[in-house]
Amino acid sequence: MRYRRRRPDSVRSNPFPFSFPLASRGLSLALPLALAMAAAGCSSVPLKEAGTLSSYGNLGAPKGKLSKSRVYVDGTRLSPAKTVSIVPTTFAFSAATRVKSDADRVMVANALDRALCISLSDKYQLVSAGQPSDLTIRSVVTDIVPTNKAMAGVSTVVTVGTGFVLPVGVPRLPAGLGGLAVEAEAIDSGGVQRAAIVWSRGANSLQNNPRVSEVGDAYSLASKFSSEFSRMLIKGKEPKGLDISLPSGQRMKSWLGGKPKYAACDAFGRPPGLMGAVAAKYGAPPQWTEKKPKPAATY
C-alpha cells in the first residue's frame, strides 16, 4: 500500500504560499522605479514679468526650488488692514494664447481667486470687487505650460493600474507636465503697493495628479500660488519653509463645497469637494466637477 505524505497544517492553511515573496519583489521593483521617475519628472517654468505690477523695484531676489518667486511685503503697513477685495484674475496676452478655450482660462482664474478668497478669510473680511476696502488684490497669469492630455491619460492608467497590483503605485510619468506663472500685488486704499509676488511652478510626478485636460496642471497649481501669497499677506512677512499648520474650520467647510465665510467668495464658485478629489485621483478633467460661480448678490 502506497501512502501519501501529508503536508503540515501550517502550509495547507495558506492558500497563497508565495504572496509574501511576490509582494516583496514587487515592492523592491516599484520603489526604485518610483524614485527614478520622480527625480526626472518635473516641469520647469521660469519667472516671467508681464508689466502689470505697479512696481517691480521692491521685489527681492529669486528664491525657491519647487516654487520660484520674487516677493515684497510691507508687514507694518499691512497690519492695520481689515477688509480685502479681489479683482478677478486676468491673463497676459502671451499666456492666454497658450490655452485654446476661454472656458478653461476662466476656470483657472476662478480656482486661483477662490483659493485666495477662502485662505484670506482666516484674517480679513472679504468684500466684493469694486467695493471700498483696505487692500485690493490683483493677479495676472503670466504664463501657462499646457498639460499634454494624451500623456496625462496614459499616466493615469499606469499610476492607478499599478496601485492595484503593486504595494507602491508608480508615480506619474515624467512627460507632458504642465505649469503656471503668476504675478500679483496688494494695493492699499491710497493706491500704494504693500505686497507683491512674481511666482512660477511646474507640475511634478509625485505631487500633481495627471488630469486629462489642457489646463489640468495649471488648475491645481493655481491653489498652490494662492496658498503662498495669502500666507504672506496674513503673516505680513515672507513665509519660511512648509506650512504645517492645520486648516481652519472655515477653510475645511469651504473646501468641501460648503458656504464660504464671506459672500464675496461665491463670486468665484465653490470648490468641487470630495467629488473633485475622487475625480482628480482618477484623472478626470476638472471641468467635470467644477461648479459655476454664483454672483455674491444672489447669495
Side-chain angles (χ1 to χ4, degrees):
M1 183 179 296
R2 183 177 296 175
Y3 294 92
R4 282 187 175 182
R5 184 176 180 181
R6 295 184 61 186
R7 300 174 69 186
D9 290 342
S10 61
V11 174
R12 288 193 302 121
S13 63
N14 182 5
F16 305 107
F18 301 107
S19 59
F20 289 110
L22 283 175
S24 178
R25 186 182 305 169
L27 183 61
S28 65
L29 291 173
L31 281 176
L33 178 60
L35 293 174
M37 293 176 69
C42 184
S43 173
S44 178
V45 182
L47 293 173
K48 190 172 183 179
E49 297 178 8
T52 65
L53 298 184
S54 57
S55 173
Y56 292 84
N58 296 321
L59 295 172
K63 294 182 181 179
K65 294 181 179 179
L66 284 178
S67 298
K68 304 181 186 72
S69 63
R70 298 178 61 204
V71 305
Y72 160 69
V73 56
D74 184 349
T76 302
R77 298 300 179 92
L78 281 176
S79 182
K82 302 295 182 184
T83 56
V84 171
S85 64
I86 299 175
V87 177
T89 291
T90 58
F91 278 67
F93 178 77
S94 59
T97 56
R98 304 195 71 182
V99 179
K100 299 174 184 177
S101 167
D102 180 63
D104 283 350
R105 291 193 293 271
V106 171
M107 182 179 66
V108 171
N110 278 336
L112 188 156
D113 292 330
R114 178 175 60 215
L116 196 58
C117 198
I118 291 172
S119 296
L120 290 176
S121 294
D122 278 347
K123 178 178 180 179
Y124 301 102
Q125 178 184 348
L126 274 294
V127 300
S128 299
Q131 296 297 313
S133 60
D134 299 325
L135 295 174
T136 299
I137 310 296
R138 299 190 183 97
S139 304
V140 176
V141 174
T142 57
D143 196 12
I144 277 188
V145 178
T147 302
N148 185 302
K149 294 194 289 185
M151 287 306 305
V154 173
S155 293
T156 298
V157 172
V158 172
T159 302
V160 175
T162 55
F164 287 112
V165 297
L166 294 176
V168 177
V170 174
R172 178 179 178 177
L173 299 177
L177 302 171
L180 181 70
V182 184
E183 63 183 25
E185 63 183 354
I187 302 295
D188 69 13
S189 56
V192 180
Q193 184 186 81
R194 298 304 179 191
I197 185 171
V198 174
W199 180 95
S200 69
R201 180 163 176 166
N204 65 69
S205 296
L206 282 181
Q207 295 176 307
N208 302 102
N209 290 327
R211 305 193 70 168
V212 186
S213 167
E214 187 179 37
V215 294
D217 289 316
Y219 176 82
S220 64
L221 292 171
S223 62
K224 298 289 187 184
F225 162 78
S226 297
S227 177
E228 291 189 28
F229 190 40
S230 62
R231 185 181 170 199
M232 184 174 79
L233 293 174
I234 289 172
K235 290 183 175 293
K237 60 182 180 180
E238 184 178 352
K240 303 292 184 182
L242 295 174
D243 184 7
I244 59 174
S245 61
L246 294 175
S248 64
Q250 73 89 14
R251 283 202 203 191
M252 289 299 298
K253 180 181 177 181
S254 296
W255 286 341
L256 291 173
K259 180 179 177 180
K261 185 177 180 179
Y262 296 108
C265 294
D266 255 340
F268 309 116
R270 295 188 182 179
L274 293 177
M275 287 295 294
V278 173
K281 178 175 176 61
Y282 291 98
Q287 295 90 333
W288 288 12
T289 54
E290 181 68 16
K291 301 176 183 179
K292 293 182 179 179
K294 182 169 57 175
T298 62
Y299 187 83

